[in-house]
Amino acid sequence: MSKKLLRQLTLARCVPYRPYKLTARQLQEKLEEEGIQVSLRTVQRDLEEMSGMGLFDLTSDDRSKPHGWCFERNGLNDFANFMPLSLAMALKTWNDQAAELLPASVLAELNPIIDKASQVIKDSQSELASRWMENVVQLSKPFPGNPEIRRSTSIRDAMWRGRKFSAEIKRVIKGRTVWLRYEQVNPLGIVSRKDGPMLLCTVSDMDPKIYGIPFEHIKEVELTSRPVTQPREFSVSKLIREKGYEEEAETIHFVGRITHQSRAVLEDSIPGHNPRLTRYDKQSVMVETDVKDSPEFRRWLTDMAGKVEILAPESLKDS
């Protein structure tokens, strides 16, 4: 779900019903309270777009300036009432298989929309939709109320709202595993990995070091009212590169064929460990190398298009 759609759903929840009204500036402040930092002009554009769609029955009172905005009736329900089956399927599938990826506060706002999506699917009597919902399942999905879901959504909620939180964190000290309580965990980023999400954070105002802590090593999360402190020149992508948080690329045995004319050009640029060249036929040689299937290797293959024929592995021939 896009940031824009989430922002507009939150904005719709903040707009009052007639006879009450709020200006764009007041609605901007409401969004800031929800952890959404946008310009006044962005709020104005959102309001104009939502009003122009005709789905929300959102109106402005232009008899005075600044204009006041209000709903003639329930705006979010209007949005749900016009939900197409394709959107209902997307929302329901996401909710069933990846709801824990969103903050708790956002999930609470979306619950009425998800309920409506379920009703749209049921009322459609679509055989395709029914078969999809019955046969596409996620076996590893935690059951509702599972502590893992509460922990994940609470940590993401802290990121969303820009709030520090207190929590117990698993540490290994002198070979002993202990759970220590930290009162000012400062969330800075989340990295999704194959073995589970990891929080990038500082754990104390006195310790500027940025730690990468797996979600499973955090428990008893409680949000505070203290705002997140952003370190100078902090960059998630830069930290991932420096600390090696990226997933380890798979090592593959690459076999390719190059012509004698290209050999001189390619011989010194072949990536990987212990590259080997052997005769293939009169016009070409075979290259073998053990290399990590990384973005850098894929770029090398792209640059060498027309000069290297891929012989193995088969997975590279279709990429």
Side-chain angles (χ1 to χ4, degrees), residues 131-146:
R131 186 166 64 245
W132 174 271
M133 300 311 301
E134 291 173 3
N135 298 335
V136 178
V137 297
Q138 182 178 349
L139 295 179
S140 60
K141 183 182 185 300
F143 59 84
N146 188 296

Side-chain angles (χ1 to χ4, degrees), residues 4 86 90-91 99 123 130 158 180 197 238 243 292 304 307:
K4 180 179 178 181
S86 57
L91 288 171
D123 293 345
S130 297
L180 300 179
K238 179 181 178 182
K243 299 295 184 180
K292 290 191 178 298
M304 295 300 106
K307 300 177 182 177

Side-chain angles (χ1 to χ4, degrees), residues 75-177:
L76 275 180
N77 283 346
D78 276 2
F79 171 78
N81 288 336
F82 284 86
M83 185 183 299
L85 178 60
S86 57
L87 178 57
M89 289 288 299
L91 288 171
K92 189 65 170 65
T93 301
W94 160 80
N95 185 68
D96 289 347
Q97 303 196 20
E100 67 272 15
L101 299 180
L102 282 184
S105 56
V106 175
L107 286 174
E109 293 175 13
L110 293 179
N111 279 338
I113 304 297
I114 300 301
D115 291 342
K116 182 63 180 181
S118 300
Q119 191 63 46
V120 168
I121 295 170
K122 181 179 179 181
D123 293 345
S124 72
Q125 298 184 347
S126 167
E127 181 181 346
L128 295 177
S130 297
R131 186 166 64 245
W132 174 271
M133 300 311 301
E134 291 173 3
N135 298 335
V136 178
V137 297
Q138 182 178 349
L139 295 179
S140 60
K141 183 182 185 300
F143 59 84
N146 188 296
E148 291 185 14
I149 291 183
R150 291 198 300 270
R151 173 179 57 205
S152 178
T153 55
S154 295
I155 294 172
R156 295 177 193 276
D157 207 30
M159 276 289 301
W160 172 259
R161 293 178 176 274
R163 305 275 183 84
K164 294 181 180 180
F165 63 87
S166 61
E168 292 186 19
I169 296 178
K170 184 178 180 181
R171 303 293 299 273
V172 177
I173 301 177
K174 295 183 179 180
R176 293 178 58 246
T177 300

Side-chain angles (χ1 to χ4, degrees), residues 7-15 27 31 43 46-47 50:
R7 184 180 70 241
Q8 291 188 349
L9 288 171
T10 305
L11 183 59
R13 188 174 58 81
C14 295
V15 175
L27 290 168
L31 288 178
V43 174
D46 281 346
L47 289 167
M50 292 160 63

